[in-house]
């Protein structure tokens, strides 16, 4: 009997690539890294700096009974990083809406149109969102924001508020707080 110093070579397995593929899929599904169309990572079309003003009529007061009001204004979108290939550097959002509340808390449903920089004909986007003002107008949240028509139609809009400027003492006057400013960044993304 001969002494073997090396183990006998095993025949190559043909099933190994199939097993690796099955294990890879299982690990992906179990760890959540497998994506489907319903869970796809959003693709950002454009990100811009946003700065603007809103007018309220009638002005909001400290009266705890909510009142109906209208809101209108302009947001300038600038310093845009356009990842969509449309070569957009900025735009202007004109908006109007209706809401209910007081200086303590208020919310409004907004509709607007963005006129983007562009040539020869500037493209537009129709948008819809909700703005909620926290106590005394010191913070704001933008929610349910979407592009409903035009350029970037179907995109979700994420507005990160950096600063809200409000005239708080005017809440104590009979005419109330009739304006506020809001700055931040705005991102348009799609699935």
């Amino acid at each position: 009997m001969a002494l073997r110093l090396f183990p006998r070579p095993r025949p190559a397995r043909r099933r190994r690539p199939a097993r690796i593929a099955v294990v890879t899929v299982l690990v992906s599904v179990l760890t959540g890294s497998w994506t489907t169309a319903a869970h796809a990572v959003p693709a950002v079309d454009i990100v811009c700096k946003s700065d603007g003003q809103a007018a309220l009529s009638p002005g909001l007061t400290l009266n705890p009974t909510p009142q109906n009001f209208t809101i209108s204004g302009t947001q300038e979108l600038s310093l845009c990083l356009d990842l969509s290939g449309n070569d957009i550097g900025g735009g202007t959002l004109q908006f109007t809406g209706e809401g209910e509340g007081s200086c303590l808390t208020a919310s409004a449903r907004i509709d607007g149109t963005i006129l983007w920089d562009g040539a020869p004909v500037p493209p537009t986007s129709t948008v819809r969102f909700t703005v909620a003002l926290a106590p005394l107008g010191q913070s704001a949240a933008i929610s349910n924001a979407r592009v409903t028509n035009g350029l970037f139609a179907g995109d979700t809009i994420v507005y990160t508020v950096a600063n809200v400027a409000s005239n708080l003492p005017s809440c104590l006057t009979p005419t109330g707080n009739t304006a506020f400013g809001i700055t931040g960044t705005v991102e348009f993304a799609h699935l």
Side-chain angles (χ1 to χ4, degrees), residues 4 9-10 15 19-20 23 36 52 58 81-83 85 89 94 99 122 124 133 141:
R4 290 189 180 203
R10 294 183 180 177
R15 300 175 116 191
R19 285 184 184 163
I20 291 172
V23 170
T36 63
L81 173 59
D82 181 5
L83 303 172
Q94 297 285 332
T124 62
L133 297 171

Side-chain angles (χ1 to χ4, degrees), residues 45 124-126 146-156 188-190:
D45 282 319
T124 62
S125 297
T126 304
R146 295 196 68 74
V147 178
T148 59
N149 199 3
L151 187 63
F152 308 126
D155 275 15
T156 297
F188 294 73
H190 66 276

Side-chain angles (χ1 to χ4, degrees), residues 28-97:
S28 297
V29 169
L30 293 174
T31 63
S33 60
W34 183 270
T35 59
T36 63
H39 294 81
V41 177
V44 175
D45 282 319
I46 192 166
V47 178
C48 302
K49 178 184 179 291
S50 178
D51 187 13
Q53 293 287 328
L56 306 169
S57 179
L60 301 179
T61 65
L62 287 175
N63 184 344
T65 304
Q67 66 182 16
N68 293 326
F69 63 90
T70 60
I71 182 170
S72 61
T74 302
Q75 285 287 126
E76 292 299 326
L77 306 178
S78 62
L79 304 174
C80 295
L81 173 59
D82 181 5
L83 303 172
S84 70
N86 289 304
D87 199 28
I88 293 172
T92 302
L93 166 63
Q94 297 285 332
F95 62 88
T96 60

Side-chain angles (χ1 to χ4, degrees), residues 169-181:
S170 66
C171 288
L172 300 170
T173 68
T175 57
N177 187 2
T178 59
F180 69 93

